[in-house]
Amino acid sequence: MTNQPHRPDPDELLRRVVAEEARAKHGKLTLFFGAAPGVGKTYAMLEAARAELERERRDVVVGIVETHGRYETAALVLGLPLLPLRKVVYRGVEVQEFDLDGALARRPDLILIDELAHTNAEGSRHPKRWQDVEELLDAGIDVFSTLNVQHVESLNDVIAKITGVVVRETVPDAILGAAHEIKLVDLPADDLLERLRDGKVYVPAQAQRAIENFFRKGNLIALRELALRTTAERVDAQMREYRKAQHIEQTWATTESILVAVSASPYSAHLLRAARRMASTLHASWFAVYVEPNAIRPLPASAAARLSQNLRLAQQLGAQVATLTGENTANALIEFARSRNITKIIVGKPVALRLRDRFRPSLVDQIVKKSGDIDVFVTAGDPDPAEAVIDKPQPVPLNIPSFLSALGVTALSTALAWVIFGPAQLADVVMTYLLGIVLVASRFGLGPSVSAALLSVAALDFFFVPPYFTFAVGDLRHIVTFAVMFVVAVVISGLTERVRNQALSARQREHRTTALYDLSRELAAAEDGGTVIQVAAEQIERAFGSTVNVFVKDRGGSLLCARASTNNPPQDRDVSVGEWVWANKKEAGVGTNTLPSGSTLYVPLLASRGIVGVLGVTAEQKDRFLAIDQRRHLDAFAAQMALAMERSLLAAETSQARQEIETEQLRSSLLSSVSHDLRTPLAVITGAASTLLQDVPSLEAPVRRELTETILEEAERLNRLIRNLLDMTRLESGAIRVKKEWVPLEEVLGSALQRLEARLKARELKVELPPGLPLMPCDPILIEQALINLLENAAKYSEGGIDIVATLVPGEVVVEVADRGPGIPEGQEARIFEKFHRAVREGSPSGVGLGLAICRAIVTAHGGRIWAENRAGGGASFRFALPLLGQAPMLPPPEPLEPHAEESA
């Protein structure tokens, strides 16, 4: 077999070019990786940095290095440029942290950042040091850093079980995957313990405690193995990337990896267990792969159920399960094995020789022939006793109308050929028959098309080959024509059938993709968990022709039905099965090993934070979910649903946390504001009252009156403060309801001015109301309170006159309260209506900051709007607009005034 030159994939080339361009702009991360503190990671990093400085003449800077008092390590730092550290005060103690902004401004070629998993002090830009490193890499700066294996996120729980110590500072595995190079700094356990005893890792007192706890010899051996394995996995990934980039198809047996071919055969369970034993012996990773042929005819129900059980068994045994699609099973398996650097393939020995195996190589023969340097193990075994019956091929039901149609098309082709061409143009007649065969194959399938081929050959011989109207053949050369015509017809029929099946498969995949797209689109628009569950359940019911029940846990931890199907409501048994699924995070019901006799499939909805629900699906056809493609489709729906439910839960938690933060901020603002504003009038009242009670003889009457007026004024101020607090609380809680009445603005404004007569008596008031102002639909008490708050605010922050102007615009009445005070600070026009916000200038009086917030709440409750702006020439203008909705009632005409009677003398 000649070696064909590999033709590169254009998409792959484009991806590589884009990746190379991005890699060229991105900094390179080199990790000095070790099993434990003290193995010499920092020392190795400094040595490598000095080599870079001397050999490559690069700009190398020490960002931060922890020497831990080690003389040898500190000696290597001497002579290297040091980046000044940033001083941060944390809990009253001054600590030194890496200066990220200084490094970005310095922009060296290479920077040294020790202890990648370090947690930065509060106030830093990023909470973790590895996030600082990411920003440096994005800026195109190369980084040397150090990391211990116990800080790898995915190994955190494993190391906690080994050492009994839970490591809080971790680094995501993606950082290791993105590292340009990982340099393992290894040291045997005995040598590390000797360094500990010599005080080269910790001071003697700490070293002894470390040896008794974390640094036990068994712990160090286990940590060393984890570090070696982690490094080996990274190197293996780099090797696979190199083989893929260089289009190397030969297997490099650097590590053992096993692939076992899985099918619906009852013997597959034996193969899986044999592969598990081999993988355990070789300490190798292994894959269980099923190749789904491009065929429309589905597997029988029993075979589909057995295939699902085999794939679940593979997962339980620890295999990585993959499902492929391809017309040639051997090619698909070999291609997968090449891509994953598989060294051994396990396949089952054929139990019985089938008829088609006599004419073409069996699957085992094809795999052996194409495997090349991959070892192939062919094994046989006994099937599971419960599955000892081998499924026989199901006979295809005979479609009589299709075969009658094939007969009709052949007759029509014969008639057309006889009328148009006749026996003299035999080649054109053959083309006419072939056209008819293609039409039959495209419409009715392979069986009718083969029948049409046989009928076409017979009709050609009977009508167009001498002697005519007999099946005898006068010229033996026509036998070759008949044979070639039949073979060509069968080949065309097979190809047409294949194209037809592929088109149908493409339509099915398109239908599934469309269903998933519709689901994701509607889930993205769902705002709460209830809507997410309802949308997902309806989509699953439409896609699978089933009924859906969804179970979730309530706050008390009890499982309840969050969405019940109207056609199949859940029973107590469904809730019990849902409890089991939730507790075990495993599937149950039809097609599984748990309660397989039922008619419902229960699927756990698993998200990143754990299980968020249980999906119960009851299909109209009980064996629907036995098909592997239907199960994969349902699993995709369940995954999307779980992610959407988790998103809604996170959104609800975020909203609750935001409300708690806002509540806490409100409480803090309330306490700080109220404590000051309550204390001030109380102190004045207490002082004035105590002075009056002393009954000082020299206290004159005007002074007594002034003190009494002060007490009254401060008491009224205190009363206004308490009233505002109560009004704000009642407005936000909904205790105050708007009771609209048709009232004139003059009446409401007059009542407000009357209540403020004492406070505004020294002010010049200018009121402008347009003639013919209509009645307003409003709650007169609330609008009066809003006007009072606006007028008090104007009187408080200004000393000149106050203008009150009403304007009638289409559909609204706009009321303005303007003053000539200092105005509103720039940028505070909208914030002054927030609770406890006081946009005051220097020297202006203070307040709680509730009056304008109450005004906004009142106007908003009326469906209006309120805003503020500075006036030209100085001062502030507050305006609110109330809508004129509905038809105002007609006012009765004023009664004529009666003349006064003359007074008698």
Side-chain angles (χ1 to χ4, degrees):
M1 183 179 65
T2 59
N3 293 328
Q4 297 292 335
H6 187 278
R7 181 182 178 184
D9 183 4
D11 294 335
E12 178 65 18
L13 285 176
L14 178 61
R15 187 192 67 80
R16 287 173 55 190
V17 169
V18 173
E20 288 294 336
E21 291 179 353
R23 197 176 296 117
K25 299 178 181 178
H26 198 264
K28 296 178 181 179
L29 172 63
T30 300
L31 279 180
F32 293 82
F33 191 61
V39 296
K41 300 180 302 298
T42 305
Y43 190 90
M45 178 180 69
L46 290 169
E47 279 192 328
R50 281 190 169 275
E52 290 283 332
L53 181 64
E54 296 172 1
R55 183 178 62 252
E56 303 293 339
R57 301 296 181 184
R58 303 180 68 191
D59 182 16
V60 180
V61 172
V62 176
I64 184 168
V65 167
E66 301 291 347
T67 62
H68 297 288
R70 302 166 192 157
Y71 174 78
E72 298 87 350
T73 305
L76 287 177
V77 179
L78 297 176
L80 292 175
L82 300 177
L83 184 73
L85 297 178
R86 181 172 55 90
K87 296 181 179 179
V88 179
V89 178
Y90 178 64
R91 295 182 179 178
V93 179
E94 185 179 88
V95 296
Q96 292 184 331
E97 289 286 354
F98 168 63
D99 187 3
L100 175 59
D101 291 325
L104 293 173
R106 173 72 165 74
R107 224 179 154 73
D109 296 333
L110 173 64
I111 189 168
L112 278 57
I113 309 292
D114 203 5
E115 296 185 1
L116 187 63
H118 172 77
T119 299
N120 294 329
E122 290 184 6
S124 302
R125 183 184 308 174
H126 302 298
K128 299 290 185 179
R129 185 170 289 172
W130 59 265
Q131 294 172 318
D132 295 339
V133 169
E134 279 190 326
E135 188 166 345
L136 292 172
L137 295 173
D138 291 337
I141 302 173
D142 293 347
V143 177
F144 279 4
S145 189
T146 61
L147 182 69
N148 289 326
V149 69
Q150 67 262 29
H151 297 297
V152 179
E153 176 66 38
S154 61
L155 300 177
N156 188 261
D157 55 343
V158 178
I159 291 173
K161 292 179 181 178
I162 294 173
T163 63
V165 177
V166 179
V167 180
R168 301 298 181 185
E169 294 181 328
T170 59
V171 173
D173 291 61
I175 299 296
L176 275 74
H180 176 72
E181 185 178 2
I182 294 181
K183 294 186 177 183
L184 179 66
V185 183
D186 188 34
L187 192 67
D190 292 332
D191 293 349
L192 179 58
L193 289 173
E194 185 177 351
R195 285 175 54 84
L196 273 170
R197 295 187 186 98
D198 294 342
K200 295 182 179 180
V201 179
Y202 299 122
V203 296
Q206 291 180 336
Q208 186 59 38
R209 288 197 302 269
I211 293 174
E212 295 173 356
N213 296 283
F214 186 84
F215 282 85
R216 291 195 296 266
K217 185 174 181 179
N219 292 354
L220 295 179
I221 294 173
L223 292 173
R224 187 185 182 198
E225 181 181 0
L226 286 174
L228 292 170
R229 287 185 178 275
T230 303
T231 307
E233 289 174 1
R234 173 57 183 157
V235 174
D236 185 64
Q238 290 178 333
M239 184 265 294
R240 288 198 305 269
E241 291 177 1
Y242 176 81
R243 291 177 62 247
K244 184 177 180 181
Q246 300 299 323
H247 307 292
I248 299 174
E249 296 184 355
Q250 290 81 9
T251 299
W252 290 358
T254 54
T255 57
E256 296 290 350
S257 186
I258 300 171
L259 182 150
V260 56
V262 183
S263 68
S265 169
Y267 296 92
S268 287
H270 171 81
L271 296 181
L272 290 169
R273 296 187 179 98
R276 174 66 180 88
R277 290 192 297 271
M278 182 181 292
S280 178
T281 302
L282 298 175
H283 299 285
S285 59
W286 65 295
F287 298 82
V289 180
Y290 166 66
V291 180
E292 183 180 13
N294 283 330
I296 297 303
R297 186 183 306 170
L299 291 173
S302 57
R306 190 181 301 116
L307 175 62
S308 297
Q309 292 175 1
N310 290 338
L311 294 178
R312 283 196 300 274
L313 176 61
Q315 289 179 329
Q316 293 170 4
L317 293 176
Q320 299 182 50
V321 177
T323 302
L324 311 177
T325 302
E327 296 185 17
N328 189 292
T329 303
N331 289 341
L333 290 173
I334 294 298
E335 183 179 351
F336 181 86
R338 298 288 187 199
S339 65
R340 298 303 181 98
N341 201 35
I342 300 294
T343 58
K344 292 175 173 56
I345 297 178
I346 301 177
V347 292
K349 182 185 296 183
V351 179
L353 189 63
R354 294 173 292 185
L355 179 62
R356 66 180 183 180
D357 292 334
R358 299 180 184 274
F359 301 99
R360 69 175 187 179
S362 65
L363 174 63
V364 174
D365 294 334
Q366 295 181 58
I367 291 177
V368 171
K369 183 178 180 180
K370 300 174 181 179
S371 60
D373 52 355
I374 302 176
D375 298 331
V376 179
F377 294 81
V378 183
T379 181
D382 297 329
D384 289 348
E387 301 174 345
V389 179
I390 305 296
D391 292 312
K392 296 181 179 180
Q394 297 293 324
V396 180
L398 193 63
N399 192 344
I400 300 299
S402 297
F403 286 92
L404 292 178
S405 300
L407 178 60
V409 170
T410 304
L412 180 60
S413 300
T414 302
L416 291 175
W418 183 269
V419 172
I420 299 175
F421 304 110
Q425 303 181 40
L426 192 60
D428 295 328
V429 172
V430 172
M431 292 297 104
T432 304
Y433 279 119
L434 290 177
L435 177 61
I437 293 169
V438 171
L439 294 176
V440 172
S442 63
R443 181 66 179 85
F444 301 107
L446 184 60
S449 65
V450 174
S451 300
L454 290 172
L455 292 173
S456 297
V457 171
L460 177 66
D461 180 22
F462 189 81
F463 290 102
F464 298 97
V465 175
Y468 301 114
F469 306 111
T470 67
F471 291 104
V473 181
D475 190 347
L476 294 180
R477 290 180 300 176
H478 292 301
I479 297 296
V480 178
T481 302
F482 296 155
V484 171
M485 176 181 172
F486 179 74
V487 171
V488 171
V490 171
V491 171
I492 291 175
S493 300
L495 292 176
T496 307
E497 173 74 3
R498 179 178 297 181
V499 171
R500 182 167 172 264
N501 290 346
Q502 290 177 347
L504 185 54
S505 297
R507 284 197 297 271
Q508 290 180 345
R509 288 193 295 269
E510 181 185 2
H511 173 72
R512 295 170 187 170
T513 304
T514 302
L516 283 173
Y517 171 73
D518 292 340
L519 174 66
S520 60
R521 182 183 59 187
E522 294 195 20
L523 288 179
E527 297 180 354
D528 57 89
T531 307
V532 166
I533 293 174
Q534 183 65 29
V535 166
E538 292 176 355
Q539 288 285 347
I540 293 174
E541 287 180 340
R542 282 197 296 268
F544 297 95
S546 59
T547 58
V548 173
N549 297 316
V550 182
F551 304 90
V552 298
K553 286 285 184 75
D554 60 11
R555 294 183 180 272
S558 301
L559 194 70
L560 53 86
C561 185
R563 195 270 183 184
S565 172
T566 55
N567 299 327
N568 184 25
Q571 307 297 325
D572 293 339
R573 178 177 180 275
D574 297 309
V575 178
S576 300
V577 178
E579 290 276 8
W580 185 91
V581 172
W582 188 290
N584 295 274
K585 298 181 178 60
K586 296 181 180 179
E587 300 173 342
V590 60
T592 68
N593 295 326
T594 306
L595 302 174
S597 60
S599 59
T600 302
L601 175 63
Y602 302 88
V603 180
L605 299 175
L606 298 173
S608 59
R609 56 188 291 171
I611 186 169
V612 294
V614 176
L615 178 67
V617 186
T618 306
E620 296 178 358
Q621 301 174 355
K622 183 178 178 181
D623 58 351
R624 175 158 192 169
F625 294 119
L626 299 180
I628 189 65
D629 59 333
Q630 293 292 321
R631 284 304 307 275
R632 290 206 308 266
H633 196 200
L634 180 62
D635 290 342
F637 270 78
Q640 292 282 343
M641 182 178 179
L643 290 176
M645 291 176 64
E646 184 183 43
R647 174 176 56 81
S648 66
L649 290 174
L650 291 175
E653 292 176 1
T654 303
S655 177
Q656 182 179 359
R658 186 185 299 113
Q659 291 178 359
E660 291 177 354
I661 292 173
E662 292 177 352
T663 302
E664 185 63 30
Q665 291 176 345
L666 179 63
R667 184 181 296 111
S668 299
S669 300
L670 176 62
L671 290 176
S672 61
S673 300
V674 171
S675 61
H676 174 270
D677 287 275
L678 284 178
R679 188 167 56 248
T680 301
L682 285 176
V684 174
I685 292 174
T686 303
S690 61
T691 302
L692 289 174
L693 288 175
Q694 288 177 0
D695 196 17
V696 181
S698 60
L699 203 61
E700 299 178 356
V703 176
R704 290 179 178 274
R705 180 176 179 84
E706 183 179 354
L707 290 174
T708 306
E709 291 176 349
T710 301
I711 293 175
L712 178 61
E713 183 179 345
E714 294 299 325
E716 290 178 349
R717 177 183 173 187
L718 190 61
N719 180 58
R720 286 195 302 272
L721 173 62
I722 300 299
R723 185 188 65 210
N724 283 340
L725 289 172
L726 293 176
D727 288 346
M728 196 71 240
T729 303
R730 294 169 64 193
L731 284 169
E732 289 191 338
S733 65
I736 296 180
R737 301 189 179 277
V738 177
K739 299 178 181 179
K740 291 186 178 181
E741 301 176 6
W742 290 95
V743 295
L745 178 60
E746 297 91 332
E747 181 179 327
V748 178
L749 179 59
S751 178
L753 292 175
Q754 185 177 3
R755 290 179 56 183
L756 294 174
E757 182 178 0
R759 295 204 62 190
L760 301 177
K761 60 183 179 180
R763 299 297 183 93
E764 179 183 353
L765 294 178
K766 181 180 180 182
V767 180
E768 294 183 8
L769 301 180
L773 192 66
L775 300 179
M776 290 194 314
C778 65
D779 188 322
I781 298 177
L782 294 180
I783 296 300
E784 179 184 334
Q785 183 62 49
L787 286 170
I788 289 174
N789 288 357
L790 290 176
L791 290 169
E792 285 184 338
N793 183 78
K796 183 177 184 180
Y797 292 102
S798 68
E799 296 181 357
I802 299 175
D803 298 339
I804 305 172
V805 181
T807 309
L808 182 62
V809 299
E812 288 181 330
V813 173
V814 179
V815 180
E816 176 186 9
V817 177
D819 60 62
R820 287 297 179 183
I824 305 169
E826 186 176 356
Q828 301 288 323
E829 289 83 356
R831 293 198 60 195
I832 58 175
F833 293 102
E834 296 177 2
K835 295 187 296 292
F836 304 110
H837 180 79
R838 293 172 290 187
V840 296
R841 297 181 184 272
E842 185 178 355
S844 60
S846 62
V848 181
L850 283 178
L852 296 179
I854 293 173
C855 293
R856 183 177 65 175
I858 292 174
V859 173
T860 303
H862 280 77
R865 51 197 177 89
I866 188 170
W867 67 98
E869 57 188 18
N870 287 315
R871 300 179 67 184
S877 171
F878 294 84
R879 294 190 179 100
F880 66 88
L882 297 179
L884 296 174
L885 301 176
Q887 185 65 37
M890 297 295 295
L891 293 177
E895 296 181 0
L897 297 176
E898 296 182 0
H900 293 283
E902 293 182 359
E903 294 181 0
S904 57

